[in-house]
Structures are given as structure tokens and as C-alpha cells.
Amino acid sequence: MKIAFIGAGNMASSLIRGLQAGAVPADDIIAADPVQRQLAALADLGVQTTTDNAVAVASADTIVLAIKPQVTGTVLGQLPPLNSHQLVISIVAGIDMSSLQDWLPQGQPIVRCMPNTPALLGAGITGLFANREVSAQQREAASQILNSVGSSVWVAQEAQLDAVTAVSGSGPAYFFLLMESMVASAQRLGLDPSISRQLVVETARGAALMACQPGADPATLRHNVTSPGGTTEAALNTMQAQGLADTVDTALHAARDRAETLAVEFGSKA
Ligand SMILES: NC(=O)c1ccc[n+]([C@@H]2O[C@H](COP(=O)([O-])OP(=O)(O)OC[C@H]3O[C@@H](n4cnc5c(N)ncnc54)[C@H](OP(=O)(O)O)[C@@H]3O)[C@@H](O)[C@H]2O)c1
């Protein structure tokens, strides 16, 4: 499988490193970007590079769009016509399937993805959605590429990708905000800033590791660490009384609604 990356920024670099760690040969990867500096870093990994997107796609089985939403229509409009066997994988946030189909030849197999930032460390989670033209083998290829920087899930309806955006796409920032609030509170409780940060970050890591155990359920884990009349219960009762669950629900709906709006702003119908 020959893979071409259009855009050689942060996500493309992480995916290429992930693929190489998974034993995909450097010869099977080509990256295109107008910025020579970005390409130089990838050339050091042994992959082919070019400043011409047309050269990159010429012999590719799979083309990964890793560019900003604002330039996507222009970039796709300037590509030579693709053949109907070439799979296009878009990780571009906010560009929906209908826009990609408008900008690409009719009948092009396309997978639209929503990765998240921990992908940069190989710990991402990606939602994927395929149009009807994508074969089982191409689905497998898309999973393999995105799984190289973490894990992935397929959704059956494109609208669910906006929900994925609200949950895992924007999700890291929700945990960062909680950590930020806990660090500030730890200091108000009299702890040093560096100790506060260490306590919070390591607690987040430990809680995430526990939640990642096979069969682990967050509600059960919470129940197991909450003694009746204890300190944890005092904190959790306060969070619940102040409407944490409703706040989270309203916030995720706002993110989902914003994803829908951005798809219109950036898309071919704008
Ligand atoms: N980073 C994340 O965690 C994350 C998560 C989910 C989704 N995404 C999506 O993934 C996409 C890439 O994100 P990123 O963080 O990798 O962005 P990035 O680092 O800015 O990479 C985009 C690259 O595309 C290049 N580019 C611009 N115009 C081009 C053209 N005409 N042809 C080829 N390449 C071109 C850019 O060059 P210039 O710098 O010169 O513009 C840049 O090197 C975005 O659409 C983003 O929404 C990212």
C-alpha cells in the first residue's frame, strides 16, 4: 500500500512515525507540503517528499489529507483527477463528506476521520466514517493508518462524527480544564504549585489507567473509592449538587452544535 500525505504538519508527522513503528516501509510513504522545513524533518525519516501535491498522489493507493480546513477546497480543486481505486482519508476537522465528494471526482472512495490531539503521542482515539464506495479492504487500510497513532472506532452515520468531535475530539481540553481547576484548588489548600501539579497529573494518569483496564466501568470505579461518610463522598456530593452532570451534557451539546456550524462555514456550500 503506497500512502501519500497531503500536508506534512503535526498530524502527518505523527501518523508517519506511527506507520513506521508498525513496520510500514519508508519507501511506501510520500509526503507533500509547500513548506520545505516541514518536509526536511520527514525526509530524515527516509520517506519521499515533494512540494508538488500532484506528484505525491500520482502512484498512491491511499491519500491522507492532513491540511487545514481553510485550504482543503483549493487543494483538492488543484489535484489531477484521481482514479476510482484511490482511497482518500481526510483528517481535516470540519469538512464534511458532502464537501469532500463535491471537490473530488464522483464515486471516489472517501473515509472521513476525527482524530484527537493525544494522537501526537500515539495515544489518540479516532472516529471514522466511510462513504459507500469504500471497500472492506480500504476500511482495513484506514483502520491500520489511524490505529498507528492510537485506536479507532467506526460510526455508521456521518452525524455521529460530530458527536465524536464533541466527546473525544474536544475531550482532552475538558480533562485539562478539570486538572487546571484542581491544581488551582490544591494551591488554595496550601500546597506548592509544583507539588499541586504533580499530584493532579499523576492522579489523572492513575485514574485513566484504572479506567482503561478491560471491563472497567467508571461508575463502578467511582463507587469502589467512595466510602460512605468519607472525604471522596463529600467532594462528589458537592459536584453533583452543583450540577456537574448537566454542565457536562450542555457543554458536549454545544461542541456538537459548533461542529455542525463549522461544517457549513468551511464546506463547499459556504
Ligand atoms: N493536531 C491535532 O491534534 C488534530 C486533531 C484532529 C484533527 N486535526 C486536523 O488535522 C489537520 C492537520 O492538523 P495539523 O495539526 O497537522 O496541522 P498543521 O501542523 O498546520 O499541518 C498542516 C500542514 O499542511 C500544510 N499545507 C498548507 N497548504 C498546503 C497545500 N496547499 N498543500 C499541501 N500542504 C499544505 C501546512 O503548511 P503551512 O504551515 O505553511 O500552512 C502544514 O504544514 C487539520 O485539518 C486539523 O483540523 C488535527
Side-chain angles (χ1 to χ4, degrees), residues 175-197:
F175 289 102
F176 297 147
L177 177 62
L178 181 61
M179 287 190 238
E180 214 182 311
S181 303
M182 286 177 67
V183 169
S185 184
Q187 291 174 60
R188 286 195 287 274
L189 291 172
L191 295 168
D192 290 342
S194 69
I195 289 178
S196 300
R197 184 187 176 283

PDB file of all heavy atoms in Angstrom, residues 175-197:
ATOM      1  N   PHE A 175     -10.596  17.531  30.169  1.00  0.00           N
ATOM      2  CA  PHE A 175      -9.781  16.979  31.259  1.00  0.00           C
ATOM      3  C   PHE A 175      -8.701  17.980  31.673  1.00  0.00           C
ATOM      4  O   PHE A 175      -8.371  18.088  32.859  1.00  0.00           O
ATOM      5  CB  PHE A 175      -9.181  15.629  30.834  1.00  0.00           C
ATOM      6  CG  PHE A 175     -10.216  14.535  30.745  1.00  0.00           C
ATOM      7  CD1 PHE A 175     -10.720  14.124  29.528  1.00  0.00           C
ATOM      8  CD2 PHE A 175     -10.729  13.938  31.901  1.00  0.00           C
ATOM      9  CE1 PHE A 175     -11.695  13.132  29.446  1.00  0.00           C
ATOM     10  CE2 PHE A 175     -11.703  12.941  31.831  1.00  0.00           C
ATOM     11  CZ  PHE A 175     -12.190  12.543  30.601  1.00  0.00           C
ATOM     12  N   PHE A 176      -8.153  18.723  30.690  1.00  0.00           N
ATOM     13  CA  PHE A 176      -7.150  19.744  31.042  1.00  0.00           C
ATOM     14  C   PHE A 176      -7.781  20.803  31.956  1.00  0.00           C
ATOM     15  O   PHE A 176      -7.157  21.259  32.915  1.00  0.00           O
ATOM     16  CB  PHE A 176      -6.574  20.425  29.792  1.00  0.00           C
ATOM     17  CG  PHE A 176      -5.824  19.487  28.869  1.00  0.00           C
ATOM     18  CD1 PHE A 176      -5.830  19.681  27.489  1.00  0.00           C
ATOM     19  CD2 PHE A 176      -5.111  18.405  29.375  1.00  0.00           C
ATOM     20  CE1 PHE A 176      -5.147  18.812  26.638  1.00  0.00           C
ATOM     21  CE2 PHE A 176      -4.426  17.529  28.526  1.00  0.00           C
ATOM     22  CZ  PHE A 176      -4.449  17.735  27.154  1.00  0.00           C
ATOM     23  N   LEU A 177      -9.029  21.199  31.646  1.00  0.00           N
ATOM     24  CA  LEU A 177      -9.687  22.221  32.473  1.00  0.00           C
ATOM     25  C   LEU A 177      -9.900  21.698  33.894  1.00  0.00           C
ATOM     26  O   LEU A 177      -9.670  22.419  34.879  1.00  0.00           O
ATOM     27  CB  LEU A 177     -11.030  22.629  31.843  1.00  0.00           C
ATOM     28  CG  LEU A 177     -11.847  23.643  32.643  1.00  0.00           C
ATOM     29  CD1 LEU A 177     -11.111  24.969  32.811  1.00  0.00           C
ATOM     30  CD2 LEU A 177     -13.212  23.892  31.981  1.00  0.00           C
ATOM     31  N   LEU A 178     -10.319  20.439  34.002  1.00  0.00           N
ATOM     32  CA  LEU A 178     -10.518  19.860  35.333  1.00  0.00           C
ATOM     33  C   LEU A 178      -9.191  19.824  36.089  1.00  0.00           C
ATOM     34  O   LEU A 178      -9.115  20.190  37.273  1.00  0.00           O
ATOM     35  CB  LEU A 178     -11.111  18.452  35.216  1.00  0.00           C
ATOM     36  CG  LEU A 178     -11.386  17.735  36.534  1.00  0.00           C
ATOM     37  CD1 LEU A 178     -12.409  18.506  37.377  1.00  0.00           C
ATOM     38  CD2 LEU A 178     -11.883  16.311  36.288  1.00  0.00           C
ATOM     39  N   MET A 179      -8.135  19.431  35.388  1.00  0.00           N
ATOM     40  CA  MET A 179      -6.806  19.386  36.033  1.00  0.00           C
ATOM     41  C   MET A 179      -6.378  20.786  36.475  1.00  0.00           C
ATOM     42  O   MET A 179      -5.863  20.972  37.576  1.00  0.00           O
ATOM     43  CB  MET A 179      -5.767  18.800  35.071  1.00  0.00           C
ATOM     44  CG  MET A 179      -5.906  17.309  34.856  1.00  0.00           C
ATOM     45  SD  MET A 179      -4.468  16.689  33.949  1.00  0.00           S
ATOM     46  CE  MET A 179      -5.225  15.982  32.555  1.00  0.00           C
ATOM     47  N   GLU A 180      -6.619  21.758  35.585  1.00  0.00           N
ATOM     48  CA  GLU A 180      -6.258  23.153  35.887  1.00  0.00           C
ATOM     49  C   GLU A 180      -6.983  23.618  37.158  1.00  0.00           C
ATOM     50  O   GLU A 180      -6.364  24.220  38.054  1.00  0.00           O
ATOM     51  CB  GLU A 180      -6.765  23.977  34.690  1.00  0.00           C
ATOM     52  CG  GLU A 180      -5.964  25.161  34.286  1.00  0.00           C
ATOM     53  CD  GLU A 180      -6.683  25.842  33.106  1.00  0.00           C
ATOM     54  OE1 GLU A 180      -7.073  25.169  32.119  1.00  0.00           O
ATOM     55  OE2 GLU A 180      -6.864  27.059  33.191  1.00  0.00           O
ATOM     56  N   SER A 181      -8.273  23.314  37.242  1.00  0.00           N
ATOM     57  CA  SER A 181      -9.068  23.732  38.404  1.00  0.00           C
ATOM     58  C   SER A 181      -8.567  23.037  39.661  1.00  0.00           C
ATOM     59  O   SER A 181      -8.500  23.649  40.738  1.00  0.00           O
ATOM     60  CB  SER A 181     -10.547  23.378  38.208  1.00  0.00           C
ATOM     61  OG  SER A 181     -11.029  23.961  37.046  1.00  0.00           O
ATOM     62  N   MET A 182      -8.216  21.768  39.544  1.00  0.00           N
ATOM     63  CA  MET A 182      -7.735  21.028  40.717  1.00  0.00           C
ATOM     64  C   MET A 182      -6.375  21.555  41.181  1.00  0.00           C
ATOM     65  O   MET A 182      -6.116  21.655  42.383  1.00  0.00           O
ATOM     66  CB  MET A 182      -7.647  19.524  40.407  1.00  0.00           C
ATOM     67  CG  MET A 182      -9.017  18.851  40.362  1.00  0.00           C
ATOM     68  SD  MET A 182      -8.921  17.093  39.897  1.00  0.00           S
ATOM     69  CE  MET A 182      -8.072  16.371  41.303  1.00  0.00           C
ATOM     70  N   VAL A 183      -5.504  21.917  40.214  1.00  0.00           N
ATOM     71  CA  VAL A 183      -4.185  22.466  40.588  1.00  0.00           C
ATOM     72  C   VAL A 183      -4.382  23.790  41.330  1.00  0.00           C
ATOM     73  O   VAL A 183      -3.750  24.040  42.375  1.00  0.00           O
ATOM     74  CB  VAL A 183      -3.291  22.655  39.333  1.00  0.00           C
ATOM     75  CG1 VAL A 183      -2.045  23.455  39.672  1.00  0.00           C
ATOM     76  CG2 VAL A 183      -2.914  21.302  38.732  1.00  0.00           C
ATOM     77  N   ALA A 184      -5.286  24.639  40.815  1.00  0.00           N
ATOM     78  CA  ALA A 184      -5.532  25.933  41.466  1.00  0.00           C
ATOM     79  C   ALA A 184      -6.083  25.713  42.869  1.00  0.00           C
ATOM     80  O   ALA A 184      -5.671  26.377  43.840  1.00  0.00           O
ATOM     81  CB  ALA A 184      -6.506  26.761  40.624  1.00  0.00           C
ATOM     82  N   SER A 185      -6.988  24.760  42.996  1.00  0.00           N
ATOM     83  CA  SER A 185      -7.600  24.486  44.294  1.00  0.00           C
ATOM     84  C   SER A 185      -6.573  23.908  45.273  1.00  0.00           C
ATOM     85  O   SER A 185      -6.567  24.258  46.463  1.00  0.00           O
ATOM     86  CB  SER A 185      -8.768  23.527  44.077  1.00  0.00           C
ATOM     87  OG  SER A 185      -9.436  23.301  45.267  1.00  0.00           O
ATOM     88  N   ALA A 186      -5.702  23.026  44.748  1.00  0.00           N
ATOM     89  CA  ALA A 186      -4.663  22.429  45.604  1.00  0.00           C
ATOM     90  C   ALA A 186      -3.793  23.527  46.219  1.00  0.00           C
ATOM     91  O   ALA A 186      -3.408  23.459  47.390  1.00  0.00           O
ATOM     92  CB  ALA A 186      -3.813  21.461  44.781  1.00  0.00           C
ATOM     93  N   GLN A 187      -3.519  24.553  45.411  1.00  0.00           N
ATOM     94  CA  GLN A 187      -2.699  25.658  45.935  1.00  0.00           C
ATOM     95  C   GLN A 187      -3.460  26.463  46.981  1.00  0.00           C
ATOM     96  O   GLN A 187      -2.892  26.878  47.985  1.00  0.00           O
ATOM     97  CB  GLN A 187      -2.237  26.547  44.786  1.00  0.00           C
ATOM     98  CG  GLN A 187      -1.216  25.839  43.902  1.00  0.00           C
ATOM     99  CD  GLN A 187      -0.851  26.641  42.674  1.00  0.00           C
ATOM    100  OE1 GLN A 187      -0.360  27.749  42.770  1.00  0.00           O
ATOM    101  NE2 GLN A 187      -1.114  26.067  41.518  1.00  0.00           N
ATOM    102  N   ARG A 188      -4.761  26.637  46.757  1.00  0.00           N
ATOM    103  CA  ARG A 188      -5.562  27.352  47.765  1.00  0.00           C
ATOM    104  C   ARG A 188      -5.652  26.528  49.053  1.00  0.00           C
ATOM    105  O   ARG A 188      -5.847  27.083  50.137  1.00  0.00           O
ATOM    106  CB  ARG A 188      -6.960  27.673  47.218  1.00  0.00           C
ATOM    107  CG  ARG A 188      -6.952  28.804  46.194  1.00  0.00           C
ATOM    108  CD  ARG A 188      -8.341  29.351  45.927  1.00  0.00           C
ATOM    109  NE  ARG A 188      -9.146  28.446  45.138  1.00  0.00           N
ATOM    110  CZ  ARG A 188      -9.155  28.399  43.806  1.00  0.00           C
ATOM    111  NH1 ARG A 188      -8.433  29.261  43.102  1.00  0.00           N
ATOM    112  NH2 ARG A 188      -9.897  27.533  43.172  1.00  0.00           N
ATOM    113  N   LEU A 189      -5.465  25.226  48.944  1.00  0.00           N
ATOM    114  CA  LEU A 189      -5.451  24.368  50.140  1.00  0.00           C
ATOM    115  C   LEU A 189      -4.075  24.364  50.801  1.00  0.00           C
ATOM    116  O   LEU A 189      -3.857  23.645  51.784  1.00  0.00           O
ATOM    117  CB  LEU A 189      -5.849  22.933  49.759  1.00  0.00           C
ATOM    118  CG  LEU A 189      -7.310  22.712  49.346  1.00  0.00           C
ATOM    119  CD1 LEU A 189      -7.523  21.304  48.797  1.00  0.00           C
ATOM    120  CD2 LEU A 189      -8.256  22.956  50.520  1.00  0.00           C
ATOM    121  N   GLY A 190      -3.115  25.115  50.223  1.00  0.00           N
ATOM    122  CA  GLY A 190      -1.823  25.298  50.887  1.00  0.00           C
ATOM    123  C   GLY A 190      -0.657  24.517  50.307  1.00  0.00           C
ATOM    124  O   GLY A 190       0.436  24.515  50.883  1.00  0.00           O
ATOM    125  N   LEU A 191      -0.852  23.856  49.167  1.00  0.00           N
ATOM    126  CA  LEU A 191       0.248  23.075  48.576  1.00  0.00           C
ATOM    127  C   LEU A 191       1.054  23.930  47.591  1.00  0.00           C
ATOM    128  O   LEU A 191       0.515  24.855  46.978  1.00  0.00           O
ATOM    129  CB  LEU A 191      -0.320  21.843  47.853  1.00  0.00           C
ATOM    130  CG  LEU A 191      -1.013  20.815  48.771  1.00  0.00           C
ATOM    131  CD1 LEU A 191      -1.791  19.786  47.951  1.00  0.00           C
ATOM    132  CD2 LEU A 191       0.015  20.106  49.655  1.00  0.00           C
ATOM    133  N   ASP A 192       2.343  23.595  47.431  1.00  0.00           N
ATOM    134  CA  ASP A 192       3.207  24.297  46.471  1.00  0.00           C
ATOM    135  C   ASP A 192       2.694  24.062  45.048  1.00  0.00           C
ATOM    136  O   ASP A 192       2.172  22.975  44.749  1.00  0.00           O
ATOM    137  CB  ASP A 192       4.640  23.749  46.515  1.00  0.00           C
ATOM    138  CG  ASP A 192       5.337  24.138  47.801  1.00  0.00           C
ATOM    139  OD1 ASP A 192       4.857  25.075  48.467  1.00  0.00           O
ATOM    140  OD2 ASP A 192       6.339  23.480  48.126  1.00  0.00           O
ATOM    141  N   PRO A 193       2.941  25.033  44.116  1.00  0.00           N
ATOM    142  CA  PRO A 193       2.490  24.843  42.728  1.00  0.00           C
ATOM    143  C   PRO A 193       3.012  23.561  42.097  1.00  0.00           C
ATOM    144  O   PRO A 193       2.258  22.817  41.456  1.00  0.00           O
ATOM    145  CB  PRO A 193       3.037  26.081  42.004  1.00  0.00           C
ATOM    146  CG  PRO A 193       3.158  27.117  43.069  1.00  0.00           C
ATOM    147  CD  PRO A 193       3.495  26.383  44.338  1.00  0.00           C
ATOM    148  N   SER A 194       4.321  23.257  42.271  1.00  0.00           N
ATOM    149  CA  SER A 194       4.847  22.074  41.571  1.00  0.00           C
ATOM    150  C   SER A 194       4.288  20.783  42.176  1.00  0.00           C
ATOM    151  O   SER A 194       3.988  19.823  41.465  1.00  0.00           O
ATOM    152  CB  SER A 194       6.376  22.065  41.581  1.00  0.00           C
ATOM    153  OG  SER A 194       6.837  21.843  42.881  1.00  0.00           O
ATOM    154  N   ILE A 195       4.130  20.775  43.495  1.00  0.00           N
ATOM    155  CA  ILE A 195       3.540  19.588  44.140  1.00  0.00           C
ATOM    156  C   ILE A 195       2.077  19.450  43.707  1.00  0.00           C
ATOM    157  O   ILE A 195       1.603  18.348  43.416  1.00  0.00           O
ATOM    158  CB  ILE A 195       3.665  19.694  45.677  1.00  0.00           C
ATOM    159  CG1 ILE A 195       5.128  19.517  46.076  1.00  0.00           C
ATOM    160  CG2 ILE A 195       2.775  18.679  46.386  1.00  0.00           C
ATOM    161  CD1 ILE A 195       5.396  19.649  47.560  1.00  0.00           C
ATOM    162  N   SER A 196       1.371  20.570  43.613  1.00  0.00           N
ATOM    163  CA  SER A 196      -0.040  20.541  43.196  1.00  0.00           C
ATOM    164  C   SER A 196      -0.162  19.928  41.814  1.00  0.00           C
ATOM    165  O   SER A 196      -0.994  19.050  41.558  1.00  0.00           O
ATOM    166  CB  SER A 196      -0.619  21.965  43.153  1.00  0.00           C
ATOM    167  OG  SER A 196      -0.545  22.552  44.417  1.00  0.00           O
ATOM    168  N   ARG A 197       0.710  20.384  40.907  1.00  0.00           N
ATOM    169  CA  ARG A 197       0.651  19.885  39.530  1.00  0.00           C
ATOM    170  C   ARG A 197       0.949  18.388  39.488  1.00  0.00           C
ATOM    171  O   ARG A 197       0.244  17.612  38.833  1.00  0.00           O
ATOM    172  CB  ARG A 197       1.664  20.649  38.664  1.00  0.00           C
ATOM    173  CG  ARG A 197       1.614  20.263  37.218  1.00  0.00           C
ATOM    174  CD  ARG A 197       2.728  20.895  36.406  1.00  0.00           C
ATOM    175  NE  ARG A 197       2.706  20.422  35.030  1.00  0.00           N
ATOM    176  CZ  ARG A 197       3.144  19.234  34.630  1.00  0.00           C
ATOM    177  NH1 ARG A 197       3.660  18.380  35.507  1.00  0.00           N
ATOM    178  NH2 ARG A 197       3.074  18.868  33.372  1.00  0.00           N
TER     179      ARG A 197
END
